[in-house]
Amino acid sequence: MRLHRSIQALISAGFTLAASAGLVVGVGSAAHAATPLPTHVFAPYFEAYSNDDPAALAAQSGNKYLTMAFIQAATKGSCTPYWNGQTSQPIAASQFGAAINTIRAGGGDVIPSFGGYAADNGGTEIADSCTDVNSIAAAYENVITTYGVSRIDLDTEDNSLTNTAGIDRRNKAIKVVEDWAAANNRTVQFSYTLPTTTSGLASSGLAVLKNAVTNNARIDVVNLMTFDYYDGASHEMANDAESAAAGTEAQLAKLYPTQTAAQLWGSIGVTLMPGIDDFGAGETTTVADASTVLNWANSKGINTLSFWALERDNGGCVGTAGSDTCSGIAQGTWDFSHALEPFTNGGGTQVNDFSLSASPAAGSVAAGSSASATIGTAVASGSAQSVALTVTGAPAGVTATLSPTSVTAGAASTLSIATSATTTPGSYPLTITGTAASGSHTTTYTLTVTGGTTSNDFSLSASPAAGSVAAGSSASSTIGTAVASGSAQNVALTVTGAPAGVTATLSPTSVTAGAASTLSIATSATTTPGSYPLTITGTAASGSHTTTYTLTVTGGTTTGSLANGGFETGSLSPWTCQPGGAVVSTPVHSGSHALQVSPTSSQTGECDQTVTLAPNHAYTLTGWVQGSYAYLGVSGGATASTWASGSGWTKLSVPFTTGASGTVTIYLHGWYGQGNVFGDDFSIA
């Protein structure tokens, strides 16, 4: 990774975000074999060169596994490794040992990472520095036995990608260590962390893996640094991470032709860089991107997710690129950790979590005036929780309050701000913190106080903001306006978003800020049931604002549902299957029949059924599955899936929302060459 940081030797840690989280049974317990890592593990990088306590940050962020960066020689030509290349930080239980034991006691572990940009650039990466293969192998073994870890990460970039002698020594040393581990009944994995393009590994990275094959060195994980592309192109970072991994999977298929697609995907890792990377704002990864990558990683069954670095998982330096201590974007502390932590739980298992937002996120008032914002909460995963809200950061002369101070995730609170005539002009960030059982998130409202004349502005609201009616009935809401700053203006009102069969009108269509209008809604008997957001726009000389009224229509046209979900008819109809799909009498979850899908080396064995549900409506697909890599999901008008592996029956749930047509395809499939998968008792609620 191309890091440009003030602490050159330490910086290298920043971009080698390795692909895994190491497991340890106890620092200094050389006689005991380490515990293997989970099949799917999230292990963000910890900057070992900082003064932070890895165990403390792991506890605060909720991370069980950490990748610790980096280990390197102190000087070029040396064969002795140290943490961060500092002779004061030897490979010994006295260095990080207590913290690692604390992390392990909490059910997690660490992965030591060798190399990094500074070491690779300066020649102190252990295989570039040391010319003796057995000494390099001894350095790896010393770390393994000292900390009891089961995986070593090798961050290989910059000059280490072209040092052919160092590449060959490193892979030969890996083979020596793997033979030593086998002879001593130890579990040891090696991961290579490599730079990537958006279409896969560059030729230099691929050459490292080709040399490993030549030396019979087993590489368990190929971890991609999906940031710092420096190609000047337009980037959507989640999509680029997925395309980089897809290109790498195709490259690995040629390098390891006997491996199945599932095995290849299971050897890939992806490391993100939260916020703005070293290149700049053109390469910005958001919390939403992290969630997208999580869902994709679950669907592909990759091995590892990570990011650089844990110390960056906060929004303390909005607009700053490549910082070691913050992401450079507006986010809550630990937002990226919370978004990716469910990956370690096996791909698909979700914990309760929520998100927090301020709308608007900023406001400007003259001293002596007031402002307000809506603090919205939403369920990010799992179930709705009670969220306690607080606001801090108000300067002298400013009062900021929240009402209510506690909501259930999905509801909103109002932030009310009053300034005195003596408030000092300036910009003040107010931090709103939401705290629930799952943890805390923050959002920021930036208040700008001016002295003297302020510009005119207004606010818009809907009361109530939502309503539910049966098809053929009507509803109404009061659209309120208020002077947000300056003087009252004339506000023109419009409403959009009404679906077929719904008429929405405003009366009057023009008011003076401070007055109200009535939104009248009429539905026909044939209106399709569903939830419809109606957008009310107010336009004045100062600009426009919007508010939303959510109309829910019930009753009306009947929609279809899943048929033969328990297969008790004894036949597949109306399900359709790839060859081998059948109704069987054993095993079954309940009743006397169940579905069997039969993957082969060339097909997943998919069975599916197309159903028509209410458009734009939220549903949950549930079903019981058994077998290796059983995937249950929906496609077509909605896209969602989850999976499980096991010899017993496992219940899966897939939440999804239909599109405008309401038509979706329900499917169950296995994975190439992984054996039969069984399903039973499918339903949609």
Side-chain angles (χ1 to χ4, degrees):
M1 294 167 275
R2 305 173 182 85
L3 298 186
H4 306 285
R5 313 213 176 184
S6 59
I7 307 177
Q8 184 179 15
L10 304 181
I11 292 175
S12 68
F15 297 98
T16 222
L17 308 188
S20 54
L23 300 184
V24 196
V25 281
V27 172
S29 315
H32 301 286
T35 304
L37 291 169
T39 304
H40 310 289
V41 65
F42 167 57
Y45 273 71
F46 170 79
E47 297 168 351
Y49 54 83
S50 70
N51 292 322
D52 296 318
D53 178 355
L57 287 195
Q60 293 168 23
S61 64
N63 286 292
K64 288 185 176 294
Y65 298 90
L66 298 180
T67 304
M68 297 185 64
F70 292 100
I71 297 172
Q72 62 189 72
T75 58
K76 189 175 181 179
S78 171
C79 294
T80 303
Y82 298 93
W83 287 102
N84 313 306
Q86 301 296 310
T87 56
S88 61
Q89 294 183 298
I91 304 302
S94 60
Q95 192 68 33
F96 295 121
I100 292 173
N101 280 336
T102 299
I103 291 171
R104 189 173 294 122
D109 221 320
V110 302
I111 303 171
S113 181
F114 281 75
Y117 178 86
D120 297 347
N121 177 266
T124 54
E125 191 282 333
I126 193 68
D128 292 345
S129 174
C130 182
T131 58
D132 181 71
V133 169
N134 288 328
S135 295
I136 298 167
Y140 294 153
E141 292 172 12
N142 184 32
V143 171
I144 292 167
T145 56
T146 297
Y147 298 110
V149 295
S150 65
R151 184 183 292 181
I152 293 292
D153 178 61
L154 306 171
D155 178 88
T156 306
E157 51 188 294
D158 198 56
N159 295 334
S160 293
L161 289 170
T162 56
N163 186 337
T164 55
I167 291 170
D168 192 64
R169 287 193 295 266
R170 187 181 304 107
N171 286 323
K172 282 182 167 63
I174 291 172
K175 173 61 175 171
V176 171
V177 174
E178 288 172 342
D179 290 344
W180 163 81
N184 289 275
N185 296 315
R186 278 187 173 272
T187 296
V188 174
Q189 295 180 326
F190 282 90
S191 64
Y192 260 124
T193 294
L194 300 167
T196 184
T197 70
T198 57
S199 57
L201 293 170
S203 58
S204 56
L206 192 58
V208 171
L209 300 181
K210 289 180 177 178
N211 181 268
V213 172
T214 299
N215 282 297
N216 294 316
R218 185 191 72 252
I219 304 304
D220 301 283
V221 179
V222 178
N223 181 42
L224 307 176
M225 294 183 285
T226 57
F227 53 92
D228 279 6
Y229 295 111
Y230 278 85
D231 56 8
S234 176
H235 287 280
E236 202 298 311
M237 300 299 277
N239 291 342
D240 291 341
E242 295 171 15
S243 65
T248 300
E249 190 272 345
Q251 292 170 316
L252 295 180
K254 295 179 181 179
L255 198 58
Y256 304 103
T258 62
Q259 291 194 6
T260 65
Q263 289 172 321
L264 294 172
W265 280 112
S267 67
I268 288 176
V270 168
T271 292
L272 308 174
M273 186 167 177
I276 306 174
D277 68 12
D278 299 279
F279 175 80
E283 295 182 9
T284 298
T285 300
T286 65
V287 177
D289 288 331
S291 296
T292 297
V293 171
L294 169 67
N295 292 332
W296 165 85
N298 284 338
S299 70
K300 292 296 184 182
I302 72 170
N303 183 281
T304 302
L305 283 178
S306 182
F307 64 69
W308 178 264
L310 192 57
E311 287 85 345
R312 286 175 45 83
D313 194 5
N314 66 84
C317 60
V318 175
T320 301
S323 170
D324 270 341
T325 59
C326 46
S327 67
I329 64 173
Q331 64 156 99
T333 302
W334 312 130
D335 275 359
F336 282 89
S337 292
H338 294 332
L340 297 174
E341 283 160 359
F343 185 70
T344 300
N345 292 337
T349 301
Q350 290 192 330
V351 295
N352 295 337
D353 202 4
F354 68 98
S355 62
L356 201 62
S357 63
S359 179
S364 178
V365 299
S369 300
S370 60
S372 65
T374 298
I375 306 304
T377 65
V379 177
S381 62
S383 303
Q385 319 169 68
S386 176
V387 181
L389 299 169
T390 59
V391 56
T392 57
V398 174
T399 302
T401 60
L402 288 158
S403 180
T405 56
S406 180
V407 298
T408 300
S413 176
T414 298
L415 170 65
S416 299
I417 302 164
T419 67
S420 70
T422 58
T423 303
T424 303
S427 290
Y428 305 101
L430 306 183
T431 300
I432 299 89
T433 303
T435 303
S438 62
S440 297
H441 294 290
T442 62
T443 191
T444 300
Y445 177 91
T446 301
L447 172 68
T448 299
V449 180
T450 60
T453 305
T454 186
S455 59
N456 296 334
D457 201 3
F458 68 97
S459 62
L460 202 62
S461 63
S463 179
S468 179
V469 298
S473 300
S474 60
S476 65
S477 175
T478 298
I479 306 303
T481 65
V483 176
S485 61
S487 302
Q489 318 168 71
N490 184 263
V491 181
L493 299 169
T494 59
V495 57
T496 57
V502 174
T503 301
T505 59
L506 287 158
S507 180
T509 57
S510 179
V511 299
T512 300
S517 176
T518 299
L519 171 65
S520 299
I521 303 164
T523 67
S524 70
T526 59
T527 302
T528 303
S531 291
Y532 306 101
L534 307 183
T535 300
I536 299 89
T537 302
T539 304
S542 63
S544 297
H545 294 288
T546 62
T547 190
T548 301
Y549 177 90
T550 302
L551 172 68
T552 300
V553 180
T554 61
T557 305
T558 302
T559 56
S561 61
L562 189 67
N564 197 20
F567 306 96
E568 294 309 303
T569 64
S571 66
L572 284 172
S573 179
W575 295 81
T576 59
C577 299
Q578 291 180 348
V583 173
V584 297
S585 58
T586 183
V588 298
H589 175 255
S590 69
S592 55
H593 295 91
L595 174 66
Q596 171 185 291
V597 299
S598 299
T600 67
S601 60
S602 61
Q603 69 173 30
T604 62
E606 180 172 316
C607 290
D608 55 45
Q609 179 183 154
T610 299
V611 298
T612 300
L613 306 169
N616 305 308
H617 197 76
Y619 291 92
T620 298
L621 166 66
T622 59
W624 292 81
V625 299
Q626 178 176 316
S628 297
Y629 299 99
Y631 288 79
L632 178 65
V634 297
S635 61
T639 301
S641 67
T642 187
W643 64 278
S645 286
S647 58
W649 288 100
T650 299
K651 186 178 182 179
L652 297 180
S653 296
V654 182
F656 66 94
T657 300
T658 55
S661 69
T663 299
V664 296
T665 297
I666 308 301
Y667 65 81
L668 175 70
H669 68 71
W671 199 250
Y672 300 97
Q674 297 301 309
N676 290 340
V677 166
F678 302 93
D680 201 357
D681 296 331
F682 298 121
S683 64
I684 299 174

